[in-house]
Amino acid sequence: MKNQTQAIHVPYVRRDAFDALSMPVYNAVAYEFDDAQTMSDAFCNRIDAPDYGRCENPTTRYFEERVKAVTGASAVIALNSGMAAISNTLMALSAQGKNVVTSRHLFGNTFALLTKTLKKFGVEARMVDLTRLEEVEKVVDEDTCCLFLEIITNPQMEVADLRQLAKIAHAHQIPLVADTTTIPFTKFNSHKLGVDIEVVSSTKYISGGATSLGGLVIDYGTTPHFADTMKNEMLFNLGAYMNPNVAFLQTMGFETLDARYRVQSSNALELAKRLQTLPEVKRVNYVGLEDNPYHQLAQSQFGDTAGAMVCIDLASKEACFNFINRLKLVHRATNLFDNRTLAIHPASTIFGLFSDEDKRNMDILDTTVRLSIGLEDVEDVFEDVKQALL
């Protein structure tokens, strides 16, 4: 079956008592066992049965199984946010004295996790230009636990060569970990590009219009013991498992993901082209545009799609603020891939608590506005943008 069909028709792990067509929400913490031996087998993973709500739930498990069927992964773990997916993954892979090779072009909280939080536990973040493979080769050593990146960075819109980075990682017997939030995993096969572990903020495209917070860790089975560590250590000890109400909402969102994404990505490309015609817009940064420096690489990796995030640069920070303040249809809000089109000034919000030096090093510009393109008619969005720029 094709991805869209699989996303809808994955069977239940166990038949529902009332044969509900949609998986019910099992708001259960504890589960009954027939006898002591069965209880022991469930807790020690000798049989496939839920043991406690902090680590497994039938509704959440069904969401994981749907993602697993579409991606072909060996294991999928659903967590309560995208940041939980990233932090649990990096904690599962790292240890005191280890290092993570990554880029300075990261989402603000991911950058802070690596440079502040994990640093307290003795994990070093080695930040290099991932588009320069020789630099990557120089910093990977025997203490490197993984190579981590975002497939399209937010908001710099940088694209690195996954195939080449995978060769470096695998030559050193470490996993390539990729945050693939910006392009749905239903649209391209990251594992064929060499990615070993995907992390995704399911809050974004999957949730179906910002209905809920969630995250996914998608493990392709090429990293020894990773899935066991996630399930038997991270879930038990950190307690970040996705709750069943969120899993239900995100399962429903998953069913319409393909249809929504086709509209959003098409709108984004059309809007990006139109924005290039406006003199007030100094730069349009979108990898779907043929003149974008990452266009060819992005197409070779992700196919004929470029996501629904478009960044524009205006003359100044003041111009950005005035533009955002004059928007009437587009919402002033943070999130990506909502059903509504959203606008934000990253330098003063998402990266607002970082020093000027950090922002310079991360290429976060005062002149940038990030747009997340929604499901509205693109003509209406463009007209709102035009009037806000006047």
Side-chain angles (χ1 to χ4, degrees):
M1 292 186 290
K2 303 297 184 185
N3 279 344
Q4 175 60 19
T5 309
Q6 280 188 315
I8 296 172
H9 290 282
V10 174
Y12 292 166
V13 178
R14 296 183 184 181
R15 183 172 177 174
D16 177 64
F18 296 97
D19 290 327
L21 205 54
S22 294
M23 168 61 89
V25 180
Y26 286 89
N27 279 312
V29 172
Y31 304 92
E32 180 72 49
F33 297 94
D34 291 335
D35 51 57
Q37 185 59 54
T38 305
M39 181 182 289
S40 175
D41 289 343
F43 272 78
C44 297
N45 299 319
R46 289 187 291 269
I47 61 171
D48 186 11
D51 48 26
Y52 186 61
R54 190 178 74 250
C55 315
E56 188 162 347
N57 174 278
T59 310
T60 307
R61 171 74 181 279
Y62 182 56
F63 178 47
E64 294 170 334
E65 289 298 319
R66 282 200 173 190
V67 174
K68 184 177 174 181
V70 169
T71 59
S74 65
V76 174
I77 299 96
L79 299 163
N80 57 27
S81 70
M83 281 307 305
I86 295 168
S87 59
N88 277 250
T89 296
L90 292 179
M91 290 189 75
L93 293 171
S94 64
Q96 187 175 18
K98 296 292 185 179
N99 66 75
V100 176
V101 172
T102 187
S103 166
R104 289 188 178 276
H105 292 172
L106 294 171
F107 174 65
N109 292 115
T110 307
F111 184 91
L113 169 70
L114 282 158
T115 59
K116 295 182 179 180
T117 308
L118 290 179
K119 184 179 179 180
K120 295 176 183 177
F121 296 93
V123 179
E124 177 190 1
R126 295 185 176 176
M127 295 184 165
V128 296
D129 184 345
L130 295 182
T131 67
R132 296 180 179 273
L133 299 174
E134 66 279 6
E135 291 188 18
V136 181
E137 287 274 17
K138 288 179 183 177
V139 298
V140 175
D141 62 19
E142 65 275 8
D143 291 321
T144 303
C145 62
C146 70
L147 204 163
F148 176 84
L149 79 160
E150 298 171 8
I151 59 167
I152 300 179
T153 66
N154 171 17
Q156 303 90 348
M157 306 287 276
E158 177 184 275
V159 179
D161 192 324
L162 293 173
R163 295 180 182 90
Q164 295 304 316
L165 291 174
K167 286 181 181 179
I168 295 172
H170 298 160
H172 291 271
Q173 297 183 316
I174 58 173
L176 178 62
V177 183
D179 183 336
T180 64
T181 299
T182 48
I183 301 284
F185 51 73
T186 54
K187 306 305 293 185
F188 77 107
N189 188 323
S190 72
H191 188 47
K192 285 186 177 180
L193 297 172
V195 173
D196 299 288
I197 300 165
E198 276 185 78
V199 291
V200 181
S201 173
S202 55
T203 309
K204 309 303 191 291
Y205 289 119
I206 295 172
S207 74
T211 62
S212 49
L213 285 168
L216 292 167
V217 178
I218 303 171
D219 171 33
Y220 289 100
T222 50
T223 307
H225 313 300
F226 175 76
D228 288 340
T229 301
M230 286 295 296
K231 293 177 180 178
N232 299 332
E233 186 177 342
M234 298 299 112
L235 288 184
F236 286 157
N237 300 345
L238 299 182
Y241 194 50
M242 179 181 285
N243 78 60
N245 293 284
V246 168
F248 175 80
L249 291 170
Q250 300 208 349
T251 300
M252 295 297 99
F254 193 40
E255 291 186 355
T256 61
L257 168 62
D258 187 65
R260 288 182 288 106
Y261 178 73
R262 276 186 272 126
V263 175
Q264 287 179 289
S265 58
S266 174
N267 281 354
L269 178 58
E270 178 61 26
L271 184 65
K273 291 177 179 178
R274 295 191 186 192
L275 289 169
Q276 289 184 309
T277 68
L278 302 178
E280 297 85 0
V281 177
K282 307 306 178 186
R283 180 179 70 145
V284 180
N285 194 1
Y286 182 65
V287 298
L289 296 172
E290 292 184 1
D291 61 354
N292 186 280
Y294 299 110
H295 178 71
Q296 292 299 326
L297 177 58
Q299 285 213 320
S300 75
Q301 296 186 152
F302 316 128
D304 190 20
T305 186
M309 176 173 64
V310 178
C311 291
I312 60 174
D313 281 285
L314 304 181
S316 64
K317 178 180 178 180
E318 181 183 17
C320 292
F321 273 41
N322 288 338
F323 165 70
I324 290 171
N325 290 342
R326 286 195 292 261
L327 290 168
K328 296 178 180 178
L329 174 69
V330 177
H331 293 267
R332 292 171 285 275
T334 185
N335 195 22
L336 286 171
F337 320 130
D338 195 300
N339 291 343
R340 306 159 189 80
T341 298
L342 312 176
I344 195 169
H345 182 251
S348 64
T349 54
I350 299 167
F351 298 88
L353 296 178
F354 288 86
S355 69
D356 290 340
E357 181 181 2
D358 278 341
K359 283 189 275 191
R360 281 194 300 272
N361 290 334
M362 298 164 74
D363 293 319
I364 302 299
L365 307 178
D366 272 339
T367 55
T368 301
V369 174
R370 188 188 76 185
L371 299 171
S372 172
I373 312 306
L375 297 173
E376 305 95 342
D377 190 294
V378 71
E379 185 72 34
D380 293 328
V381 176
F382 183 58
E383 289 301 315
D384 190 36
V385 168
K386 280 200 303 182
Q387 68 81 26
L389 286 169
L390 296 179

